[in-house]
Amino acid sequence: VTEYLKDLGLGFLLPGLICFDCLAGGARSGRPRLLPFLGILAMVPLAFFGACLELNTFAPTESWQRLPWLAAAACLLRALSPNNTINGILNTLFALGAAWLLVPDFQRLEAERPYWLGASALLLLLMLWSAGSWSTKLRGPGLPLLLFLATLAASLLAFFVSFAKLAQLGGIAAGCMAGCWLAAFFYRDQPLTSAIAPGWAVFFTGVVLGARLNTESEVPLASFALVVATPLTIWLTFLPGVRTMKPIWRLALGIALAAVPAALGLFLAGQVALANMEEW
Amino acid sequence: MRRFVGGLLILGIVGIVSLSEASGLPGDGGPGVISADSSKIEWVGTKPGGKHNGGFKTFTGKLEPATGDVTASKITVDIQTGSIYSDVGKLTNHLKSPDFFSTDTYPKASFVSSKIEKAASGDSTHKITGTLDLHGVKKEISFPAKIVETPESVQLKSTFKIDRQDFDIKYGPGKVDNAVTIKLDVNIPRK
């Protein structure tokens, strides 16, 4: 029981509380330039509590352990970018570098590695751009809620492929998104999600990639593709007919749209996992 | 005549030495081969209220020299960590993942003995000390072993425990026990 409470406290509640504090503090300060820097601080729990729970190490020894640092680095780039053009250029360079660092150089993946590098860089860039756009266009608690659900889906996928450390690390990220949701709930008029959106984009993509590349699970590729598609359904809420809906209906539709690929992807993955259910 | 006898003697000695090397007779001082065909490396992992067992399918090694007293020999074993198996399919995949062995990052584990000494205790006859390189961590370990030496082979049996945390395998504290039992049943032909 103590271990489970520790997992819950350090792996979800405390990161959420820190993220909430950072973002709510930024909102209260009345200094918009401060918010992106507080976003970096909100991403630090990923590395810190991950190390506390012995999931990752401060000095990564495996490619997936670089994820928390890359998430914080993405937030730093956003904070340092004076405008969107420079941010776009920096994000492109970052996506290429991050893909190189995240795709492992295992012998097993030797033949596929060039394809994974290309696909990972493109996916990272797409997520960074999408998350950046959403977070400037959508204010309030709707967006962080959708990102929280997408993070949960990625964590569950990691669990289904028998990579519990990555699943727990995803739990910390979900905690951060829950903290962001709470802060955005109280400070609806401020673009709070934009402070941690780049970190979320890198982390979410990295969890799905890590679950696929670091395990020899029989979970089909379609599961991973469907979970990746989960947050991308947010774009559908920008369609002309949907954009003009009442915010609550727009959010409800957003959740319903995101739930379709998430449920399908997790169902496919869960079937493989359930086929061999007995474990530790 | 003396030259002829001397030449014959040298030829005879060379012939005997060559024959001995070709036949691999006991006493040639070469290594004894450890293979998964005649040996087993198994483990038992426990958790509160349960246990699982398994082993490694692919490993090679040698006892060098294979002849003479085993205390003067050195044992080397290389294990392909990806060949791990267990009594549950999903557990095997989980054991290969970065939660446990990270078999892609650390495809090999090895043991190199530094000392084999006689130390009778219970069933065991010897104590083996050496370096276990597992999951990227090298650590000296000692374990008791029952060694039976015959002119044809060396048989080694041992059951001992290692602490997985010593080798940076830390997943699931409290849910999976830290002590892992290792069972060795090694048969080394002396040639």
Side-chain angles (χ1 to χ4, degrees):
Chain A
V1 173
T2 317
E3 287 299 331
Y4 286 110
L5 283 176
K6 187 178 153 194
D7 286 349
L8 182 68
L10 300 182
F12 187 82
L13 297 175
L14 265 176
L17 199 66
I18 290 170
C19 193
F20 171 78
D21 266 353
C22 287
L23 298 182
R28 275 197 302 266
S29 72
R31 295 164 65 186
R33 284 294 299 157
L34 189 65
L35 197 59
F37 290 97
L38 288 167
I40 304 165
L41 210 59
M43 284 286 113
V44 169
L46 281 176
F48 179 74
F49 290 112
C52 285
L53 292 170
E54 294 180 336
L55 307 173
N56 57 309
T57 52
F58 284 116
T61 53
E62 295 180 50
S63 56
W64 63 274
Q65 293 180 341
R66 296 175 180 135
L67 253 184
W69 296 120
L70 287 171
C75 289
L76 179 69
L77 285 186
R78 181 78 194 98
L80 295 177
S81 301
N83 57 48
N84 284 344
T85 311
I86 289 179
N87 188 231
I89 294 166
L90 288 177
N91 275 351
T92 307
L93 294 173
F94 176 82
L96 291 169
W100 184 263
L101 291 170
L102 287 175
V103 176
D105 56 353
F106 301 150
Q107 204 176 1
R108 174 170 61 83
L109 296 172
E110 209 175 353
E112 302 166 31
R113 194 163 191 263
Y115 303 107
W116 280 113
L117 282 172
S120 306
L122 283 173
L123 199 57
L124 280 163
L125 199 56
L126 175 67
M127 285 295 173
L128 279 166
W129 173 69
S130 297
S133 299
W134 300 329
S135 61
T136 49
K137 289 172 182 159
L138 295 171
R139 297 190 180 189
L143 179 62
L145 180 62
L146 285 167
L147 300 184
F148 166 76
L149 294 174
T151 313
L152 272 190
S155 297
L156 266 174
L157 184 66
F159 179 73
F160 283 147
V161 300
S162 296
F163 193 169
K165 280 184 181 177
L166 196 60
Q168 260 187 287
L169 213 51
I172 300 176
C176 289
M177 293 320 296
C180 178
W181 173 79
L182 204 61
F185 186 81
F186 287 114
Y187 302 94
R188 288 165 184 255
D189 57 330
Q190 300 206 35
L192 295 186
T193 315
S194 66
I196 59 167
W200 171 86
V202 171
F203 198 83
F204 172 81
T205 312
V207 168
V208 180
L209 277 173
R212 172 70 190 180
L213 300 177
N214 287 279
T215 63
E216 293 182 54
S217 164
E218 290 156 6
V219 168
L221 189 61
S223 283
F224 298 89
L226 284 162
V227 170
V228 164
T230 301
L232 294 175
T233 55
I234 294 172
W235 281 120
L236 298 175
T237 63
F238 287 92
L239 289 172
V242 184
R243 201 168 38 191
T244 50
M245 281 176 150
K246 276 186 175 178
I248 186 74
W249 289 114
R250 194 181 178 194
L251 175 62
L253 187 67
I255 291 172
L257 288 169
V260 175
L264 203 58
L266 293 175
F267 174 74
L268 290 174
Q271 277 201 316
V272 175
L274 287 172
N276 236 328
M277 202 170 159
E278 192 196 336
E279 224 203 309
W280 279 110
Chain B
M1 183 66 181
R2 198 180 285 173
R3 257 191 208 168
F4 176 73
V5 173
L8 212 62
L9 203 66
I10 291 166
L11 267 176
I13 292 167
V14 169
I16 289 166
V17 169
S18 308
L19 202 67
S20 168
E21 274 175 11
S23 65
L25 289 170
D28 62 2
V33 175
I34 300 171
S35 85
D37 296 334
S38 55
S39 304
K40 282 179 190 170
I41 299 176
E42 296 174 322
W43 52 263
V44 181
T46 57
K47 61 176 179 176
K51 68 171 185 175
H52 285 288
N53 47 41
F56 293 93
K57 287 178 188 167
T58 311
F59 56 88
T60 55
K62 58 188 180 183
L63 174 76
E64 197 171 29
T67 55
D69 189 354
V70 75
T71 55
S73 301
K74 181 172 148 182
I75 296 172
T76 311
V77 181
D78 287 318
I79 302 168
Q80 302 292 322
T81 53
S83 72
I84 195 167
Y85 65 89
S86 73
D87 50 359
V88 181
K90 196 190 172 197
L91 174 59
T92 305
N93 274 341
H94 196 181
L95 290 171
K96 286 180 183 178
S97 82
D99 285 349
F100 290 96
F101 286 94
S102 298
T103 57
D104 281 316
T105 308
Y106 307 107
K108 273 187 185 173
S110 67
F111 175 77
V112 180
S113 74
S114 55
K115 195 169 25 169
I116 303 174
E117 56 194 323
K118 283 185 177 160
S121 160
D123 251 8
S124 61
T125 56
H126 291 73
K127 182 180 155 193
I128 300 174
T129 304
T131 303
L132 178 61
D133 183 350
L134 176 66
H135 197 242
V137 178
K138 285 183 182 177
K139 185 176 165 56
E140 190 177 84
I141 60 165
S142 289
F143 56 89
K146 182 184 178 183
I147 297 179
V148 178
E149 297 180 75
T150 66
E152 289 78 30
S153 68
V154 175
Q155 289 177 325
L156 184 156
K157 285 190 180 186
S158 178
T159 301
F160 61 98
K161 288 186 177 183
I162 59 168
D163 187 335
R164 68 190 178 101
Q165 299 232 33
D166 289 345
F167 297 94
D168 207 21
I169 300 174
K170 295 177 175 173
Y171 169 72
K175 299 163 204 158
V176 181
D177 293 339
N178 291 334
V180 179
T181 303
I182 306 292
K183 289 181 177 180
L184 305 176
D185 186 353
V186 180
N187 199 351
I188 314 164
R190 280 208 191 257
K191 54 172 267 185

